[in-house]
Amino acid sequence: STQEPLPPLPGEIVGGRLHVAVHDFPLSFDAGGVTVTMTVRDSILEGDVSAFGLENGVLGGGILVEDLVLLAEMIMPGIGETARGILVDLADLSPSAADPLACREVSAGMGLTAVPGTLE
């Protein structure tokens, strides 16, 4: 699927490397025959800027455990609680106020490239 363009965001290019705090990055993909949009929260986007576009790009942030549970349930109905049991052990971001050892998000990252764009 095609990704919708992000709105203009403040960032900086230092030494040819782009750094942007994206905050909530909507990521759409096909899962089990259905197009799903997950939100990578508190995201940072970085990459090398050249005439060819963005290379060696990375996006890092977190995905809510509950969003991942819903995705698992959508792909395979009935597996949501099993997925929750696994994901709460993997969650490593956004500690809960009631229990600082229980986190609400799983860290997520991906590599990316992008085509050249124009500044307006």
Side-chain angles (χ1 to χ4, degrees):
S1 65
T2 52
Q3 187 69 38
E4 290 296 317
L6 292 171
L9 298 163
E12 61 184 352
I13 299 174
V14 176
R17 186 132 176 106
L18 172 69
H19 176 90
V20 180
V22 182
H23 300 290
D24 290 341
F25 186 90
L27 182 63
S28 297
F29 57 92
D30 292 327
V34 177
T35 299
V36 177
T37 299
M38 302 288 301
T39 300
V40 182
R41 298 162 41 100
D42 301 322
S43 302
I44 300 292
L45 172 68
E46 289 193 355
D48 297 328
V49 178
S50 73
F52 303 107
L54 186 68
E55 300 172 336
N56 301 316
V58 292
L59 172 75
I63 300 176
L64 288 170
V65 167
E66 289 307 312
D67 288 352
L68 293 168
V69 169
L70 291 173
L71 175 62
E73 189 68 31
M74 182 187 308
I75 294 170
M76 186 181 289
I79 200 167
E81 287 308 308
T82 301
R84 179 179 283 109
I86 294 166
L87 291 165
V88 293
D89 288 341
L90 297 175
D92 57 344
L93 297 174
S94 297
S96 121
D99 181 359
L101 297 178
C103 294
R104 297 174 313 175
E105 294 182 37
V106 175
S107 57
M110 64 183 228
L112 56 94
T113 58
V115 297
T118 57
L119 295 175
E120 295 179 14

